[in-house]
Amino acid sequence: MENDEILKGRIHSFESLGTLDGPGIRFVIFFQGCGLKCKYCHNRDTWELDAGVEYSADGIIKKAMRSKTYMETSGGGVTLSGGDPFMQQDFLLDLVKKLKEKNIHVTIDTSGSFLLTNKVKEILNYTDLVLLDIKHIDDEKCIDLTGVTNKYTLEFAKYLDNIGKDMGIRQVIIPGYTDDENDLVAAADVPFEE
């Protein structure tokens, strides 16, 4: 990237005053692009990476700062969701660095379904909380449900645990897909530490 070129990311939408995606009141940014195709997805219009509107990190932060009083008084911050923010790693890194410069609490909501690279690890250095959506603990059922394996997600969860990153595990419970009691018990018994 040349010095005069501004890095931009593709954003689907924003939610101000969110209360479901991390602690306190949040400014939620829905990134465009997702590598999964979950059968039950409620954000299908975020799947395509080339859709949405382009924003610079500074443009997004300007929008987020309108909610700063609510974020500060509630112990909230900014949540990066999607799609999956890790589909746009260069832009994500730029954004999380700038958010931390403003002393904003950063939460990333992700499936963790990607290679654990040095860039991912660097992004996590600027992240306070990861909301990790484990789609299914059984790999075959996960592939049927999402189109991808759960191996990267579980490796990501182990890495987060090993580095002591604050993490919340999420799983959508869908009758007939993710509500088998044996699978839920197996998910609760996953040993993170090796």
Side-chain angles (χ1 to χ4, degrees), residues 71-163:
M71 292 186 287
E72 287 179 342
T73 58
S74 69
V78 170
T79 297
L80 310 171
S81 189
D84 197 312
F86 283 97
M87 292 287 292
Q88 301 183 59
Q89 292 182 14
D90 290 335
F91 178 71
L92 179 58
L93 179 58
D94 185 42
L95 180 59
V96 295
K97 282 181 177 180
K98 289 179 176 178
L99 286 167
K100 293 315 293 178
E101 287 172 5
K102 299 279 187 188
N103 201 30
I104 301 291
H105 183 276
V106 175
T107 295
I108 299 180
D109 185 358
T110 180
S111 69
S113 187
F114 42 79
L115 289 173
L116 187 58
T117 63
N118 286 334
K119 185 168 286 178
V120 169
K121 292 175 182 179
E122 186 177 2
I123 291 166
L124 293 172
N125 289 335
Y126 298 95
T127 304
D128 298 295
L129 170 65
V130 175
L131 298 176
L132 182 60
D133 189 355
I134 298 178
K135 303 297 183 177
H136 207 293
I137 196 64
D138 180 279
D139 195 43
E140 287 182 21
K141 291 178 183 177
C142 186
I143 291 168
D144 178 60
L145 188 63
T146 69
V148 300
T149 180
N150 69 5
K151 288 180 176 35
Y152 292 128
T153 301
L154 297 179
E155 287 173 11
F156 187 66
K158 287 179 185 176
Y159 177 75
L160 293 173
D161 185 58
N162 288 339
I163 66 168

